[in-house]
Amino acid sequence: MPAVADPCFEFVAGWIAIATGRDARAAFLADGFISPLRLQLDRDLFLQRAQMIADRLGLAQTDSEADGDVALLEVAAPNGKGGLRIAGAMAIRSRGLWFVRTERGILAGPSPFLRAWSVQQSAACNG
């Protein structure tokens, strides 16, 4: 399956594949490609697409996030003009922090989330 070419999506998709054996890339591309930048700038579209992927993968929405869960966050991102804009980012929960992969590396910190999904590790992945 081709890469989606977005660091935060690929980071989360890789985790979902390891934890569950399910392919988030295939779920994302099933209805056609949408530019990650377009999703980052359109909160409603991002939420809709993320929920569609979660539904296809069987990930339940959660309000009480736990380590290993994934979420859509709103984060401050460079706007290309020396300022900041609000954008969407996919993240993985671990040790009470949200981890996001960017083009410059992995960032971690506390953050409220727009929506989170429980990622239950499959028995096959637990040894």
Side-chain angles (χ1 to χ4, degrees):
M1 187 63 60
V4 176
D6 180 69
C8 72
F9 177 81
E10 292 295 336
F11 182 57
V12 170
W15 166 241
I16 291 170
I18 290 167
T20 70
R22 297 183 193 117
D23 188 350
R25 281 180 208 89
F28 175 81
L29 295 169
D31 290 333
F33 180 79
I34 294 179
S35 160
L37 179 59
R38 180 175 171 212
L39 290 174
Q40 289 172 5
L41 297 175
D42 186 335
R43 175 183 166 179
D44 292 335
L45 180 61
F46 205 159
L47 279 168
Q48 176 188 16
R49 193 66 170 215
Q51 187 62 57
M52 177 206 65
I53 294 166
D55 290 345
R56 287 186 174 157
L57 298 175
L59 303 180
Q61 192 173 330
T62 183
D63 291 326
S64 55
E65 70 280 6
D67 284 356
D69 288 350
V70 298
L72 175 58
L73 311 177
E74 264 187 339
V75 298
N79 67 4
K81 299 174 186 175
L84 295 175
R85 63 180 168 81
I86 299 299
M90 295 301 299
I92 303 169
R93 183 83 172 176
S94 182
R95 299 181 185 213
L97 302 174
W98 288 109
F99 287 75
V100 177
R101 183 174 157 213
T102 72
E103 292 176 358
R104 293 187 173 144
I106 296 177
L107 302 174
S111 177
F113 57 89
L114 296 173
R115 193 167 296 162
W117 297 271
S118 178
V119 177
Q120 301 295 322
Q121 291 182 314
S122 71
C125 294
N126 287 327

